[in-house]
Amino acid sequence: MSHPTRAIIHLDRLGRNLRLLGELTGGRPLWPCIKANAYGHGAEIVARHLVALGHDTLCVAHATEALELREAGIRARLVLLSAALPEASDAVAEHGLEPVVCTHATLESLSRAAERVGRQVAVHLKVDTGMGRVGVRPDEVEGFLERGRQLPGVRVRGLMSHFPRADEADQSFSRAQIESFHRVCEATRAAGIEVRHLANSAGILDLPESHFDAARPGIAIYGLAPSKNIANPRVAELEPVLEWRTRITFLKEVPSGTGLSYGHTFHTQRPSLVATLPVGYGDGLHRGLSNRMHVLVRGVRCPQVGTITMDQTLVDVTALRGEIELGDEVTRLAAADENGASGSRPG
Ligand SMILES: Cc1ncc(COP(=O)(O)O)c(C=O)c1O
């Protein structure tokens, strides 16, 4: 017996999304981001497929994620995007990981760990050009590279930065970041840095001048647009990699004015046929989507109604009265819908 709810990962679509992004970057290396369990799609499955497609570098956030991939047999270069504490250095050196660094203490501890295992650790220096999260200031880069040169165990292989606002309609902030990053790259031409990387999905799509030597796409490889502001028409070609399917476990007719689910955040405005689905926020269907999303039943978009609960969710299937049955498959739990569901809700 299997659970009625299934997540289907369309690896063929992952490949096509990457091919599209590759066309946009003119064939520059793409380093797909598979942190947070590949944005929920399953890091191991996704990593294996990416390696099979020829990607030799993958990005995760933390060393723990990278170690899981190593244990699963993934031999690709693994870039650690989040700042790590010096105590992660031994694992980084031992497993040949490539951390993003932005403190001298981490650089020094990595060098010591590298010497212990008898190999060099390649690192990527993060420059904060406006993200305001981690990174050294542009004017600190030279000093940092100098420290790197003095440490035998480390090699600053990459120089990188990150966009906080590349998915907005007004690109002035991102353009200023690109300028700033470009200046840092120019000033460090002689430092032997192998790869400069800045672009996330939005940068790949809308800011060609951000492509530099490699790009780190995340959300777009999974087939989602970074935001509604993306200007590049090719964003429409992205195909969602995740599909959710479940089945109707209960059907009932209710009169007009019936309050549904916790808090009665939805009241029917007509006699309605309501279906129950065996999926809820315990399965990752965010409670914040309550009364704001649709699902497809027999190809018809049906509004989700009432508060999404831990393991069950309601859908107004009145439009399908006489056609649907218990056990029917509900295909593709659709993303948040701006138009919302029909019916009443507070506010
Ligand atoms: C440093 C860094 N680069 C690239 C990405 C990928 O971003 P996106 O999913 O917007 O493509 C992320 C994701 O958060 C990130 O933190």
Side-chain angles (χ1 to χ4, degrees):
M1 217 196 78
S2 62
H3 194 283
T5 304
R6 284 178 298 150
I8 296 152
I9 307 299
H10 293 278
L11 293 174
D12 52 340
R13 298 181 188 172
L14 182 75
R16 286 198 290 275
N17 293 335
L18 273 153
R19 200 176 323 138
L20 167 64
L21 298 173
E23 283 170 26
L24 297 176
T25 54
R28 285 180 180 77
L30 295 178
W31 296 355
C33 290
I34 58 164
K35 56 185 182 162
N37 198 26
Y39 288 44
H41 293 69
E44 195 181 321
I45 304 166
V46 169
R48 260 187 227 303
H49 193 65
L50 292 170
V51 169
L53 289 175
H55 293 275
D56 63 4
T57 306
L58 309 172
C59 299
V60 292
H62 307 292
T64 47
E65 294 174 298
L67 295 193
E68 280 173 20
L69 291 170
R70 283 283 184 263
E71 270 166 36
I74 302 296
R75 300 266 76 87
R77 283 180 189 270
L78 297 175
V79 176
L80 312 180
L81 296 176
S82 285
L85 289 168
E87 65 209 41
S89 297
D90 282 334
V92 167
E94 215 170 292
H95 294 276
L97 310 177
E98 295 197 7
V100 163
V101 291
C102 46
T103 70
H104 284 227
T106 305
L107 201 61
E108 286 155 11
S109 118
L110 282 167
S111 183
R112 284 192 299 274
E115 286 187 281
R116 276 196 292 278
V117 297
R119 62 158 82 139
Q120 257 197 339
V121 171
V123 303
H124 299 256
L125 172 56
K126 179 88 168 246
V127 192
D128 186 3
T129 56
M131 176 70 190
R133 189 168 58 175
V134 294
V136 301
R137 290 191 316 268
D139 62 292
E140 294 173 318
V141 170
E142 294 277 15
F144 202 95
L145 292 177
E146 181 50 37
R147 186 72 190 112
R149 278 191 287 273
Q150 294 160 358
L151 297 168
V154 293
R155 174 170 71 98
V156 183
R157 174 173 177 247
L159 198 57
M160 65 173 293
S161 195
H162 189 44
F163 285 128
R165 302 181 59 179
D167 60 348
E168 295 181 9
D170 178 355
Q171 294 288 25
S172 49
F173 187 82
S174 302
R175 289 194 201 289
Q177 278 190 278
I178 296 169
E179 244 330 286
S180 163
F181 189 63
H182 186 70
R183 278 196 300 273
V184 172
C185 292
E186 284 304 306
T188 55
R189 274 277 158 225
I193 287 163
E194 194 182 311
V195 54
R196 295 151 190 89
H197 46 112
L198 169 60
N200 56 0
S201 299
I204 292 172
L205 285 154
D206 274 356
L207 294 160
E209 62 277 38
S210 74
H211 294 171
F212 290 89
D213 303 320
R216 309 181 306 267
I219 192 76
I221 73 169
Y222 306 103
L224 302 181
S227 80
K228 289 192 162 56
N229 300 316
I230 297 298
N232 192 327
R234 298 203 67 188
V235 72
E237 294 174 40
L238 293 171
E239 302 172 66
V241 170
L242 172 68
E243 183 183 3
W244 271 14
R245 284 194 201 156
T246 189
R247 296 174 69 196
I248 294 170
T249 49
F250 189 65
L251 273 169
K252 63 177 179 293
E253 289 284 354
V254 296
S256 181
T258 303
L260 297 175
S261 191
Y262 291 127
H264 284 182
T265 58
F266 184 92
H267 287 84
T268 53
Q269 291 193 329
R270 54 181 178 173
S272 302
L273 180 62
V274 178
T276 301
L277 310 180
V279 58
Y281 60 80
D283 305 282
L285 185 60
H286 203 287
R287 208 167 186 256
L289 292 174
S290 298
N291 295 306
R292 297 186 57 224
M293 57 168 273
H294 289 75
V295 299
L296 289 180
V297 188
R298 300 199 174 208
V300 176
R301 272 164 66 84
C302 298
Q304 186 280 320
V305 289
T307 301
I308 292 168
T309 73
M310 186 179 284
D311 39 61
Q312 299 184 84
T313 294
L314 303 177
V315 176
D316 183 341
V317 290
T318 311
L320 291 164
R321 195 180 261 135
E323 288 177 52
I324 58 169
E325 290 171 9
L326 206 65
D328 268 6
E329 199 159 69
V330 174
T331 53
R332 195 177 145 261
L333 285 164
D337 188 314
E338 293 283 289
N339 303 319
S342 59
S344 67
R345 61 186 128 114

